[in-house]
């Protein structure tokens, strides 16, 4: 099968190659999926799991990419809940070969059925962005109607999901980003927008929930805006400012079949709009990942034409 592999952490995306690899086999509770589309997050080349296994042993060359949409072609021993020929989407394990390949072996529990009226490209754009937003807002942030949310990167793949889901839940959403992102963030539902290059973040005032995708100085400034009893949710590492009167949570997104079902249903009925920045075939993936142009939205690779 054709697959993208990485062999050098120092080389980053420049070290990606399109190669021939053996097709994966289904282990216990696995399925093998013919990948039709794969999502890619550039930061995953900095994740230890891309380069080592759970025992910290080197596992390169490895196949990156963890989001997928495709069709089940084989079941491992003991696998239940899915069937051969079924359309699915979801997350591949962080420590196993990923989805920038024609086939991938995935634990069945990490996948959810993909309705026939949802395109594979859309399905592949949802797992990391949608689950990160869902889990940050509802599992960790305990968001309730009437609360205020500061959503960083509101025009990006995750931030736009945060904005839409928070608005649907009855929250007031303040989005942030660059000046050029203003209209896109507002189009996704932000009720206010803060230009992080030119506006004063502290002028936002107190909020109930900060969803931090940036960290650093912006993360520190954001922590000062969380009102007593509020929550700061981060996906970029532990919060540097120790909260005295609010909750700070750093988390890593997890697969969840039920939540994926909730997310895709919202896409089907128009409550949630995917944010796809670029779609490219597998043979052009390396060039796409190395282009200088900034892409605001999910990068999706169409693996099967």
């Amino acid at each position: 099968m054709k697959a993208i592999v990485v062999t050098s952490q120092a080389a980053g995306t420049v070290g990606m190659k399109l190669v021939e690899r053996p097709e994966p086999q289904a282990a216990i509770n696995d399925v093998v999926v013919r990948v039709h589309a794969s999502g890619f997050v550039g930061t995953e080349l900095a994740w230890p799991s891309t380069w080592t296994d759970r025992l910290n042993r080197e596992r390169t060359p490895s196949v990156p990419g963890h989001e997928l949409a495709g069709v089940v072609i084989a079941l491992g021993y003991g696998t239940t809940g899915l069937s051969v020929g079924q359309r699915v989407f979801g997350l591949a394990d962080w420590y196993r070969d990923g989805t920038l390949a024609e086939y991938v072996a995935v634990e069945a529990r990490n996948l959810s059925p993909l309705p026939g009226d949802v395109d594979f490209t859309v399905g592949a754009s949802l797992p990391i962005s949608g689950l990160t937003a869902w889990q940050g807002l509802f599992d960790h942030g305990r968001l309730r109607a009437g609360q205020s949310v500061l959503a960083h990167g509101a025009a990006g793949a995750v931030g736009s999901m945060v904005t839409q889901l928070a608005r649907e839940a009855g929250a007031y959403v303040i989005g942030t980003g660059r000046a050029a992102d203003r209209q896109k963030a507002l189009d996704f539902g932000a009720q206010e927008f803060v230009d992080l290059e030119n506006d004063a973040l502290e002028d936002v005032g107190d909020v109930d929930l900060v969803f931090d995708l940036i960290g650093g100085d912006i993360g520190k400034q954001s922590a000062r805006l969380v009102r007593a009893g509020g929550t700061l949710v981060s996906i970029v590492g532990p919060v540097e400012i120790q909260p005295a009167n609010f909750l700070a949570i750093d988390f890593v997104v997890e697969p969840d079949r039920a939540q994926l079902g909730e997310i895709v249903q919202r896409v089907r009925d128009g409550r949630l709009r995917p944010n796809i920045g670029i779609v490219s075939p597998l043979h052009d993936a390396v060039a796409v990942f190395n282009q200088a142009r900034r892409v605001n939205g999910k990068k999706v690779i169409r693996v099967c034409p």
Side-chain angles (χ1 to χ4, degrees), residues 234-297:
S234 170
I235 62 168
V236 290
V239 180
E240 295 185 40
I241 294 179
Q242 294 302 312
N245 57 1
F246 66 89
L247 183 63
I249 298 173
D250 168 48
F251 79 101
V252 176
V253 63
E254 298 180 354
D256 190 295
R257 179 179 289 177
Q259 291 175 0
L260 285 170
E262 293 282 356
I263 290 163
V264 78
Q265 182 56 45
R266 283 163 171 75
V267 171
R268 296 179 75 197
D269 60 27
R271 289 178 287 164
L272 191 62
R273 181 160 54 97
N275 184 0
I276 299 173
I278 191 169
V279 180
S280 176
L282 185 64
H283 63 262
D284 286 340
V286 173
V288 166
F289 297 151
N290 283 287
Q291 67 180 15
R293 180 173 66 91
R294 177 174 175 250
V295 175
N296 209 344

Side-chain angles (χ1 to χ4, degrees), residues 173-239:
V173 180
I174 304 161
T176 79
R178 303 182 185 184
D181 299 333
R182 179 184 299 273
Q183 191 56 53
K184 188 172 184 180
L186 295 175
D187 289 345
F188 274 111
Q191 288 141 300
E192 294 183 36
F193 182 82
V194 178
D195 173 0
L196 293 176
E197 297 172 320
N198 300 296
D199 298 336
L201 187 58
E202 60 267 24
D203 289 347
V204 167
D206 293 346
V207 296
D208 295 296
L209 190 153
V210 169
F211 206 123
D212 185 18
L213 313 177
I214 301 174
D217 289 340
I218 296 298
K220 293 177 183 177
Q221 294 176 48
S222 301
R224 300 187 185 101
L225 302 178
V226 183
R227 63 169 45 101
T231 307
L232 188 152
V233 175
S234 170
I235 62 168
V236 290
V239 180

Side-chain angles (χ1 to χ4, degrees), residues 5 8 38 41 46 51 86 96 102 112 123 138 172 201 214 240 245 261 300:
V5 299
S8 167
S38 169
V41 180
W51 308 101
Q86 188 169 12
R96 297 172 65 175
E102 292 179 314
S112 180
F138 306 125
Y172 184 88
L201 187 58
I214 301 174
E240 295 185 40
N245 57 1
V300 178

